[in-house]
Every structure is written in C-alpha cells, then in structure tokens.
Amino acid sequence: MYVHIEVQGDYKKIFPKRMFQSFYRIMDLYDQRIYALALFTGEDAKYNANLFHYEFLGTELTYNYNTYRIASQSETTLLESENPFALAVLAGLYVIKSKKNVDIKYQYKGKLMRLLLQDKMINKEMKREFIQKLFVFIDHILRLPEETELKLVNEMKPIIQKEAVQMGLSMKDTFLAKYYMKEGEKKGIELGIKEGIKEGKVEIAVRLLGRGESADDVAEITGLTLEEIERIKDRN
C-alpha cells in the first residue's frame, strides 16, 4: 500500500487536480493500492475540496480522496488524547486560533510545552528523539517575537530542568537550546535549515518540470519564483 499525503494551506484552484495527478502517477508506476489524504491547515473551510471531477465529450471521471481539516478538530478531544501526535495537531489548531495575537500565541505555546512534559507522555515510554522533535515542531510552528520568546524561555527553564530529567532529556533537546548556543552555532543551524528547504523545493521542481508541468504550475506548487524556475530549466 502507498500513502499519498498533501498538505494544503490557502486556496489553490489546481489542488484537486494535483491530488488526482499524483494518484494516477503512483498507480501507473507501482500498480499498488493507494491511500490518499489531503491535510488542510488553513482557517477557511470553503475551498477544502475532497474530489476532482473531469468531464469532456462524454468522458467523465470523479476522484474522491480523504481529507483532514485541522481547524475542524476539537481542542477538548485533542487534549484528552493519549496519542502524542495530538499535540502536533493541537499546535496547528492554536496557530489558527491565535492568528496574529502574540499574547494568545504565548499562552498556547507555553501550554503545549507543559503538556509535552506531562506524566501521561512519560508513561508511554516515548523515545527521547520523538519528544525532542515535538519540541522543535511546536517551537517553529508557534513563532514569537524574540523578546516574548525570551520571556517564555525564562518561564519554562525551571520546569524543563525539573521534568525533562525523567525522560532523559537535556536542555539541548528542547526549544531552549537555541538560547544557549554560541551565535555562530545558531546562525549555522538557521542557514542549514533554510538551505535544506530550498534544496527540497528545487528537487521537486526538477521532477515536475521533467513530467512536463508548466513553469506557472511548478512555481505555484513549490513556492519558487518564475525566475528561479527558469534557471532550473536552463540547468537541466
């Protein structure tokens, strides 16, 4: 079985077609069963389409796929869940609910960090690496201005120092690590992340162009500019 997941935020007219194109390409290449899921991270449900329909001169096709909309999830249900991944979904829900309100985002981020250190998480014998990745994910999805971030760091430091030892975590395994690194180390990590993201987009663009996608569609899918797409085409 192949699992096809697409993450979509804002409305894109091409999205349902893209879901179908991925489906038939996977089917053509591997000839296996496919589970498809569209994960919608935006606030507006109006354009959260769950099907692609094609009709032309008597030829008709409808492709339905599964959808999961973060904004429709219940905060209460997520908080009651013993599945650690519920915290990742909850972080996405809090991004939507807080919008651009820094004070609300501050409260949500602190709440998630505390939830990650609760006893129920420890009793599940989660691996340190998994907990660390959740810390990093929550830190990046709920970004705060530096001054507010430092306030949260000072507030959370005693709690993490006390609770994290039970899970075998150290300060460097949490979102606090970036405030205890040397400036050069921080800049190196930030540069590495940015370069890695850019390389990933370029690789996707090369594959899409190789399949005959237009420059406009490739730019819309990857977020690269048309000028960057043209340079990629020239190199390949």
Side-chain angles (χ1 to χ4, degrees):
M1 180 180 76
Y2 283 80
V3 179
H4 167 220
I5 299 176
E6 293 271 354
V7 181
Q8 185 66 30
D10 298 330
Y11 168 64
K12 299 291 183 183
K13 186 178 181 180
I14 194 177
F15 182 75
K17 181 181 179 181
R18 196 168 82 224
M19 287 292 295
F20 174 64
Q21 287 175 324
S22 295
F23 168 80
Y24 73 65
R25 285 167 178 163
I26 296 171
M27 176 68 76
D28 181 51
L29 186 60
Y30 298 107
D31 193 21
Q32 295 290 333
R33 292 177 300 169
I34 302 165
Y35 172 82
L37 172 67
L39 174 60
F40 295 111
T41 62
E43 181 179 8
D44 191 357
K46 182 178 180 181
Y47 300 114
N48 293 172
N50 67 342
L51 64 85
F52 169 73
H53 183 76
Y54 174 88
E55 184 176 1
F56 181 70
L57 296 178
T59 299
E60 186 172 352
L61 177 144
T62 299
Y63 172 60
N64 294 87
Y65 46 87
N66 299 285
T67 62
Y68 184 91
R69 181 171 176 263
I70 289 180
S72 298
Q73 304 311 304
S74 164
E75 180 180 2
T76 301
T77 302
L78 292 170
L79 287 169
E80 292 174 350
S81 174
E82 292 188 353
N83 183 345
F85 192 73
L87 292 183
V89 178
L90 190 58
L93 182 62
Y94 284 165
V95 169
I96 294 170
K97 294 179 70 172
S98 62
K99 297 184 179 178
K100 295 183 180 180
N101 190 310
V102 175
D103 292 334
I104 295 177
K105 193 177 292 186
Y106 174 87
Q107 296 299 323
Y108 280 151
K109 188 168 185 176
K111 182 177 181 178
L112 284 168
M113 294 300 181
R114 290 179 178 86
L115 285 171
L116 193 52
L117 296 169
Q118 278 188 340
D119 289 344
K120 71 172 184 176
M121 310 298 286
I122 301 172
N123 293 339
K124 287 297 179 181
E125 298 182 353
M126 293 167 58
K127 292 182 179 179
R128 186 184 74 175
E129 181 183 2
F130 187 72
I131 300 173
Q132 189 268 344
K133 286 180 178 178
L134 272 175
F135 266 116
V136 172
F137 177 78
I138 292 170
D139 180 40
H140 280 77
I141 199 170
L142 283 163
R143 291 184 177 275
L144 296 169
E146 186 171 358
E147 184 177 340
T148 310
E149 191 79 63
L150 283 169
K151 179 183 176 183
L152 182 60
V153 166
N154 291 328
E155 180 183 327
M156 292 297 301
K157 185 178 177 182
I159 301 171
I160 291 179
Q161 285 178 325
K162 178 183 177 181
E163 302 292 343
V165 66
Q166 300 181 55
M167 292 180 273
L169 290 171
S170 64
M171 295 296 286
K172 67 181 178 63
D173 294 316
T174 71
F175 81 115
L176 278 67
K178 59 187 177 183
Y179 293 97
Y180 297 93
M181 293 179 183
K182 294 178 181 178
E183 193 62 31
E185 292 175 334
K186 281 199 290 186
K187 288 182 178 178
I189 289 175
E190 291 170 357
L191 180 61
I193 291 172
K194 289 179 181 178
E195 290 299 322
I197 293 172
K198 185 68 175 291
E199 287 177 10
K201 290 182 177 181
V202 170
E203 183 179 347
I204 293 170
V206 170
R207 292 181 180 180
L208 291 173
L209 290 168
R211 293 172 181 173
E213 300 286 353
S214 69
D216 287 338
D217 285 349
V218 174
E220 185 175 17
I221 292 169
T222 62
L224 296 171
T225 65
L226 285 173
E227 290 76 12
E228 288 173 322
I229 299 298
E230 291 301 325
R231 286 198 293 270
I232 293 170
K233 288 172 68 175
D234 292 340
R235 291 202 305 266
N236 293 274

